[in-house]
Amino acid sequence: MDAGGTDRSHDDRGESGGIRTALTGLTTRGRSFLAAGVAAAACAYVLGQSDLLRVGLLLSVLPLVCATVLYRTRYRVAGSRRLSPERVPAGSEARVHLRVDNVSRMPTGLLMLQDRVPYVLGPRPRFVLDRVEPGARREVSYRVRSDLRGRYPLGPLQLRLTDPFGLCELTRSFSTYDTLTVIPRVEALPPVRLSGEAKGYGEGRQRTLALAGDDDVIPRGYRHGDDLRRVHWRSTARYGELMVRREEQPQRARCTVLLDTRGLAYEGAGPDSPFEWAVSGAASVLVHMLERGFSVRLLTDTGNSVPGEGSDGFAGASQGTADAAGLMMDTLAVIDHSDGTSLSPAYDLLRGGNEGLLVAFFGDLDEEQAAVAARMRQRSGGAVAFVLDGGAWAREPADVPGPLDGSEERLRMLRETGWTAVGVPYGATLEELWRLADRERTAVAAATGGEGTR
């Protein structure tokens, strides 16, 4: 069977290989017919019964004829696969659409369509397609779902041919694969004002060096290719040469989301593990800050930065929000525990300062790593930390989100250096903790007479 158009099936037709392939395609019914025919022929020879010999020959030849005819049947079939959507949150369903086109001049027989999918996405889908006329097509679809994030290959698509008697069945495989990306769950967050966000919200989010607005800027000399509509006539008359307006690009507030991926900082595995909670939380904050107009980046304890484009590593204003979010979601879809034991690589990257708001998701912190995390606050405009205690997740959910037993000292160290630090109990949602962090910041600001309202 050949395949044209979107995908082509594999079809090797060597003589010796073809015979073996045809015989291996015999079904249980076909093998039973063949065995019964051979036994009948042997008994007919021993007993001298010519009628029994004819029955034996018929039973033996029928599956061989079906296998030969089926193997030499040359269908030209095109197959395609489409994912909707190609990127889906964990726990949500995606639909896979399959299409088979008969591009030959002869109708097909009975076809069984089968797609290969990883076991975590569900059972292997199978469809039976009746006769497909020349130039016609058949479309089917199935759903896949995974509670585990990752990138999962779909394919190759397979077609099984069978004869009308069900004595032989041959498989032809297409060649292409598609990939389904299962990203972390994203939780909608309320638009609270956290420490360090004053520079990124409201009218203060876009600032220029000029004092009288975006258009009132410092002029510069005319250069070849400048738009004449930008000529600043007042400056031209003053300096005696052609001057044009120089526009300053609005600055976007920045946000760095730090994800602690150290394997020793988390206990357990699976969708309800603390590490998966941290990954989902980081994804939620990234999407939330992008929607609010921030330039963002994702940073891990190893010092790796996403998207990492440009000199500062942030997703700049020229990069679309959807593209930046998609890049970071793809990274979080496959992120795993690191072999690192220290947060120092991330601190070294943050030492340059001008990081804007820093939102961190920490696992278990010992005294040394808590001190490293505390020093990160000095290099950011504001800092919010969510600290997960892996051992506490084995206990019952807390009724009210708050600091966890055993992590009080670490939270205190962070708060003393200016962090808005929140402990993460089992069963708490990020939305609850996000509001809790805002209340704690407001309480500290009121007690110290610090940051005012917008």
Side-chain angles (χ1 to χ4, degrees):
M1 179 186 67
D2 298 331
T6 305
D7 197 2
R8 290 188 174 276
S9 61
H10 302 296
D11 190 15
D12 301 324
R13 293 187 177 275
E15 286 297 330
S16 59
I19 296 175
R20 287 194 299 268
T21 302
L23 293 179
T24 55
L26 291 176
T27 62
T28 302
R29 180 184 299 177
R31 296 175 186 274
S32 300
F33 268 59
L34 184 60
V38 172
C43 293
Y45 177 78
V46 173
L47 301 176
Q49 298 290 330
S50 58
D51 294 336
L52 183 60
L53 180 61
R54 298 188 187 95
V55 174
L57 292 178
L58 176 62
L59 294 176
S60 302
V61 171
L62 183 59
L64 299 178
V65 172
C66 290
T68 302
V69 172
L70 184 64
Y71 183 77
R72 293 187 176 275
T73 299
R74 302 183 65 92
Y75 297 137
R76 298 186 65 245
V77 178
S80 64
R81 182 190 300 104
R82 178 173 57 87
L83 305 182
S84 178
E86 295 182 356
R87 186 186 290 116
V88 62
S92 300
E93 290 184 343
R95 184 168 290 274
V96 183
H97 302 269
L98 304 177
R99 193 181 81 178
V100 176
D101 296 85
N102 183 10
V103 296
S104 64
R105 298 182 178 180
M106 60 181 297
T108 69
L110 189 65
L111 302 177
M112 177 180 289
L113 188 64
Q114 175 178 279
D115 205 9
R116 289 187 178 181
V117 300
Y119 71 94
V120 297
L121 297 182
R124 181 172 297 182
R126 293 181 175 89
F127 305 92
V128 177
L129 304 181
D130 293 331
R131 174 189 175 98
V132 182
E133 296 77 10
R137 69 178 57 169
R138 295 288 187 271
E139 295 184 3
V140 294
S141 65
Y142 64 93
R143 294 175 296 181
V144 292
R145 179 182 180 274
S146 175
D147 292 327
L148 299 175
R149 56 185 175 82
R151 292 173 61 87
Y152 301 101
L154 301 179
L157 189 63
Q158 294 180 331
L159 281 179
R160 289 187 177 182
L161 308 178
T162 183
D163 64 281
F165 304 103
L167 301 179
C168 184
E169 183 179 87
L170 298 180
T171 301
R172 295 289 183 261
S173 296
F174 293 94
S175 58
T176 61
Y177 293 79
D178 288 282
T179 302
L180 175 68
T181 302
V182 180
I183 62 176
R185 295 183 180 93
V186 175
E187 187 174 347
L189 301 180
V192 302
R193 178 186 172 189
L194 297 171
S195 175
E197 291 187 5
K199 297 180 180 179
Y201 282 16
E203 295 177 356
R205 182 180 60 191
Q206 294 184 346
R207 308 183 307 276
T208 64
L209 298 179
L211 299 178
D214 290 344
D215 238 9
D216 188 7
V217 295
I218 302 174
R220 61 169 174 80
Y222 176 82
R223 298 172 185 171
H224 179 71
D226 284 338
D227 191 345
L228 292 178
R229 291 175 295 182
R230 306 303 302 171
V231 173
H232 196 270
W233 296 110
R234 183 177 300 178
S235 298
T236 299
R238 178 180 179 182
Y239 292 103
E241 61 176 314
L242 203 59
M243 305 292 290
V244 297
R245 289 172 291 179
R246 173 178 13 205
E247 292 184 327
E248 295 291 339
Q249 295 296 327
Q251 296 182 3
R252 303 181 79 196
R254 294 176 170 180
C255 176
T256 297
V257 178
L258 172 60
L259 177 61
D260 182 8
T261 62
R262 296 172 300 139
L264 54 80
Y266 298 93
E267 296 182 10
D272 296 327
S273 65
F275 181 67
E276 292 302 321
W277 192 100
V279 173
S280 177
S284 302
V285 173
L286 287 169
V287 172
H288 176 73
M289 303 310 290
L290 279 171
E291 291 176 347
R292 303 208 67 182
F294 277 67
S295 293
V296 301
R297 72 172 172 180
L298 171 65
L299 181 65
T300 66
D301 58 288
T302 61
N304 295 326
S305 179
V306 179
E309 295 182 358
S311 59
D312 55 9
F314 287 85
S318 61
Q319 185 174 4
T321 300
D323 294 339
L327 179 60
M328 285 181 277
M329 290 299 104
D330 288 344
T331 301
L332 289 175
V334 296
I335 200 168
D336 201 355
H337 292 294
S338 68
D339 297 329
T341 59
S342 174
L343 298 172
S344 297
Y347 170 73
D348 294 337
L349 192 61
L350 294 171
R351 292 176 62 181
N354 195 24
E355 304 298 329
L357 176 65
L358 175 61
V359 181
F361 292 85
F362 293 120
D364 288 332
L365 296 174
D366 55 25
E367 185 176 354
E368 179 181 357
Q369 298 310 312
V372 175
R375 292 196 298 269
M376 295 179 183
R377 170 63 181 87
Q378 304 171 3
R379 302 296 180 179
S380 62
V384 182
F386 298 95
V387 183
L388 293 93
D389 185 353
W393 281 60
R395 300 194 293 269
E396 293 296 326
D399 294 333
V400 179
L404 299 173
D405 296 337
S407 63
E408 288 282 359
E409 182 65 21
R410 296 189 292 272
L411 294 175
R412 184 188 62 80
M413 291 180 59
L414 296 176
R415 289 166 181 161
E416 287 180 349
T417 56
W419 283 87
T420 301
V422 179
V424 181
Y426 178 84
T429 65
L430 181 60
E431 180 183 2
E432 296 172 332
L433 300 178
W434 192 252
R435 295 183 185 274
L436 178 61
D438 178 56
R439 293 195 297 268
E440 290 192 2
R441 182 209 62 81
T442 303
V444 172
T448 60
E451 188 177 5
T453 58
R454 272 185 294 175

